Amino acid sequence: MQVKITVNGQPREDAVEPRMLLVHYLRDVAGLTGTHVGCETTLCGACTILMNGQAVKSCTMLAVQADGAKLTTIEGLAKNGQLHPLQEGFWEKHGLQCGFCTPGMIMAAVDLLSRNKNPSDEEIRHALEGNLCRCTGYQHIVEAVQYAAHKMR
Amino acid sequence: MFPATFEYHRAHSVKDALALLKRFGQDAKLLSGGHSLLPMMKLRLAQPAHLIDIGAVGELAQIAEEGGKVVIGAGVTHQQIADSALVRGKLQALAEAAAQIGDVQVRNRGTLGGSLAHADPAADYPAAVLALEGEVKLEGAQGTRTVKAQDFFVDLLTTAMNPDEILRQVSFSPIAVGTGCAYLKRPQPASGFALVGVAALVSLGRDGSCEKVRVGVTGLGSKAFRAAGVESALAGKKPEANAIAAAAAHAADGIDCLSDIHASADFRAELARVYTRRAIEKALERCAR
């Protein structure tokens, strides 16, 4: 089936099998491997992207369901070689160790900061409850999001 | 994990979807947000030959007030329900149930109609829809019909819907002055589904006694249910601690409780009694306002 999807501002048109998951479309068709495949069961959040500005888990969507949508992946955040404040925050505050969960964490945090410019630590933890990290213990992730929130205000 | 192959059809209206359902019958499944169906398909627990995507059907995606009722379209997402000022103000227990489903990514995609039609025994909505006495509007080749919440949930993953029907909307009477409602849940820590979830609605009469009591329980048995024993035990009584506790003690009466590694049947039954008491107390607090 033919789909028209805008990925990080670039309109694309691709023929996809109806059963292709959106995460595989991004990785294997669009060649954007920053979106990770983790648990594949809607729990871990590693595959989180923005669809029309909202965080979604791309392992639990079909590519055909995104027909006509505007998607943003981790690759779409940096502008003109400048890291997005959240990317910078994760760097500055050591918000990652192995980095596997990081793209999903950041995309979920982008969704949060678009809705809430001044979140409490508790609100950050609540907004990221759909994203699992096995390295950091989350504290540094919360600090990284606070860093970005502060910088973006 | 890939779903098995299927043919994909996009419906642009309810009429479209009904025509496709008629054409493909039992071999077809409706796809809305896909957050119940796609996980089942990836695990090959479901292998429909045809998927009818109703995700783009705008007429299913509205929340409105019509004729004194709050009407929520089947395609409205959990996040929209959780954020809706109308739902938060007039159907607080439903907004609370929506806000506690999964995580924000799930709430951005999953829909009211999808969750209800799937009828997971540990889903959050059924408890609230039962306590708030929602009416489910179904549309099929034979026309439309309305099913009361307590008749809608039939068994594990089974509802009163026919295979050729689509769930259009759920309508509710808004909470009146002197009435309060609440939804409380004990989540399963890994999945976030309800080990037990309880929605309660209480109306106080002029003499301060409980005029109307409605309690919906999810997670406990093979389907969500109205706890009739609790309702009748508290109706007509003054809302005092002893009376509430005595009524809540009936929350698991007659239920064959689920048991798994997360919670034994006994523990689930105890959770149901405790959360029923707390939900009634919370609903009562809100009556006063």
Side-chain angles (χ1 to χ4, degrees):
Chain A
M1 180 173 167
Q2 210 63 19
V3 291
K4 289 182 182 173
I5 301 177
T6 301
V7 184
N8 299 331
Q10 299 283 326
R12 301 179 55 93
E13 195 166 345
D14 300 286
V16 299
E17 210 188 334
R19 68 169 173 164
M20 174 176 268
L21 299 174
L22 185 58
V23 68
H24 296 303
Y25 169 80
L26 290 169
R27 291 175 59 86
D28 304 339
V29 178
L32 298 168
T33 55
T35 303
H36 290 165
V37 182
C39 70
E40 298 188 74
T41 55
T42 336
L43 288 170
C44 82
C47 65
T48 300
I49 60 160
L50 300 184
M51 183 167 86
N52 301 326
Q54 290 189 317
V56 299
K57 292 183 174 176
S58 61
C59 81
T60 307
M61 275 191 68
L62 302 169
V64 289
Q65 289 180 287
D67 191 16
K70 290 190 168 72
L71 308 183
T72 308
T73 69
I74 188 73
E75 290 93 340
L77 289 188
K79 295 276 182 278
N80 307 318
Q82 285 284 332
L83 291 182
H84 184 281
L86 272 160
Q87 292 173 307
E88 192 182 306
F90 273 69
W91 181 329
E92 289 294 335
K93 296 295 177 183
H94 201 65
L96 64 143
Q97 186 176 318
C98 85
F100 194 85
C101 73
T102 311
M105 282 286 176
I106 290 179
M107 299 317 289
V110 171
D111 178 306
L112 167 69
L113 294 184
S114 73
R115 288 178 285 116
N116 182 351
K117 302 213 175 321
N118 190 14
S120 64
D121 285 3
E122 181 126 340
E123 286 169 333
I124 293 172
R125 286 177 185 274
H126 182 66
L128 299 180
E129 70 183 340
N131 295 75
L132 301 181
C133 171
R134 300 288 73 143
C135 304
T136 61
Y138 299 100
Q139 186 54 41
H140 290 198
I141 291 175
V142 174
E143 288 166 14
V145 177
Q146 287 293 18
Y147 175 101
H150 183 75
K151 187 156 183 186
M152 288 163 75
R153 280 201 291 273
Chain B
M1 283 189 286
F2 297 90
T5 51
F6 55 84
E7 253 185 76
Y8 176 84
H9 312 271
R10 186 171 295 147
H12 299 283
S13 63
V14 171
K15 207 173 145 204
D16 249 8
L18 287 173
L20 287 161
L21 272 178
K22 196 173 172 194
R23 192 162 139 214
F24 299 113
Q26 303 262 20
D27 296 334
K29 275 281 189 189
L30 294 168
L31 173 73
S32 185
H35 274 47
S36 298
L37 182 58
L38 290 179
M40 301 261 289
M41 289 175 64
K42 282 159 67 175
L43 294 167
R44 309 281 169 116
L45 296 171
Q47 300 195 18
H50 298 272
L51 273 194
I52 302 167
D53 188 351
I54 52 170
V57 177
E59 59 191 305
L60 295 174
Q62 313 289 328
I63 302 178
E65 274 187 291
E66 283 169 21
K69 297 264 188 178
V70 178
V71 180
I72 306 178
V76 176
T77 65
H78 311 329
Q79 195 63 42
Q80 287 168 329
I81 289 175
D83 289 344
S84 159
L86 182 63
V87 180
R88 286 158 69 125
K90 300 194 169 173
L91 303 167
Q92 201 167 6
L94 188 73
E96 285 176 332
Q100 292 180 66
I101 296 172
D103 48 58
V104 64
Q105 294 98 318
V106 169
R107 292 191 291 274
N108 280 338
R109 290 293 300 163
T111 64
L112 175 66
S115 174
L116 293 178
H118 182 57
D120 190 293
D124 295 291
Y125 281 135
V129 174
L130 283 162
L132 297 170
E133 298 180 279
E135 296 190 329
V136 183
K137 187 172 165 191
L138 305 174
E139 190 165 342
Q142 310 300 321
T144 61
R145 63 187 179 119
T146 300
V147 179
K148 289 182 175 163
Q150 64 191 109
D151 301 324
F152 183 76
F153 303 103
V154 174
D155 203 346
L156 186 82
L157 305 176
T158 308
T159 70
M161 286 178 75
N162 295 322
D164 67 345
E165 285 180 316
I166 182 169
L167 197 165
R168 254 205 106 113
Q169 64 194 37
V170 187
S171 56
F172 300 90
S173 296
I175 293 292
V177 177
T179 300
C181 65
Y183 175 71
L184 296 179
K185 104 196 242 198
R186 166 82 164 215
Q188 200 256 72
S191 72
F193 273 90
L195 276 178
V196 164
V198 180
L201 175 146
V202 185
S203 295
L204 290 180
R206 290 183 140 204
D207 62 354
S209 63
C210 299
E211 202 168 71
K212 178 175 173 183
V213 183
R214 296 288 180 267
V215 176
V217 182
T218 191
L220 192 61
S222 61
K223 62 165 184 167
F225 62 94
R226 279 262 301 273
V230 179
E231 295 177 1
S232 59
L234 192 58
K237 301 260 167 55
K238 294 274 188 218
E240 287 158 357
N242 285 346
I244 297 167
H250 295 291
D253 286 4
I255 301 300
D256 187 8
C257 300
L258 298 173
S259 189
D260 56 31
I261 58 163
H262 304 292
S264 66
D266 284 349
F267 182 49
R268 270 195 170 82
E270 179 61 11
L271 283 175
R273 291 187 282 266
V274 171
Y275 277 76
T276 296
R277 176 175 57 73
R278 291 181 187 170
I280 291 171
E281 288 167 353
K282 192 88 176 167
L284 280 163
E285 276 173 32
R286 292 170 176 173
C287 287
R289 267 186 247 148

